[in-house]
Amino acid sequence: MSYAVIKTGGKQYRVQQGDVLRVELLTAEEGATVSFDEVLLVGEGESITVGAPLVSGATVSATVRKHGRADKIRIIKFRRRKHHKKQQGHRQHFTEVEITGINA
């Protein structure tokens, strides 16, 4: 089974065909096909191709399943005995994609 390491949204992901993963928000409609061309590594069995920094000509195609927002996280800054308490919440947007093919 071949796999690849792709870079999107400032993060790196190890993907195989059929994987479902959440990446940073992409500007694509649900059901659309997206292509990741920043492929850092492609491996199949014992043979591994490492890019310098990218593997030339390699792409990973995926289908957008849905867009959404992650669970809320709470940011709390508290100073004891100083009458200081600051609260903030955040929900990160994401795009859920399913990997459909790895072209090395």
Side-chain angles (χ1 to χ4, degrees):
M1 190 81 179
S2 64
Y3 63 93
V5 175
I6 62 171
K7 183 172 135 185
T8 177
K11 299 175 181 65
Q12 296 177 5
Y13 302 93
R14 183 188 188 273
V15 297
Q16 289 181 327
Q17 187 168 348
D19 283 354
V20 175
L21 65 143
R22 290 183 172 184
V23 298
E24 296 294 318
L25 189 67
L26 300 173
T27 56
E29 297 292 324
E30 291 185 15
T33 301
V34 293
S35 178
F36 301 107
D37 52 355
E38 291 193 47
V39 180
L40 304 173
L41 181 143
V42 175
E44 181 153 7
E46 294 295 318
S47 64
I48 296 174
T49 305
V50 180
L54 302 175
V55 178
S56 61
T59 60
V60 173
S61 57
T63 304
V64 176
R65 292 179 73 180
K66 68 176 183 176
H67 298 289
R69 297 176 75 191
D71 294 335
K72 179 177 278 194
I73 60 167
R74 306 295 305 210
I75 299 106
I76 300 173
K77 296 183 179 179
F78 180 77
R79 302 280 186 262
R80 63 183 189 156
R81 301 187 307 271
K82 304 295 183 206
H83 296 128
H84 176 81
K85 180 180 175 185
K86 182 178 177 183
Q87 288 189 356
Q88 186 178 358
H90 178 74
R91 291 184 70 189
Q92 184 70 27
H93 294 275
F94 69 85
T95 300
E96 190 172 272
V97 296
E98 181 177 359
I99 305 299
T100 56
I102 297 172
N103 306 317

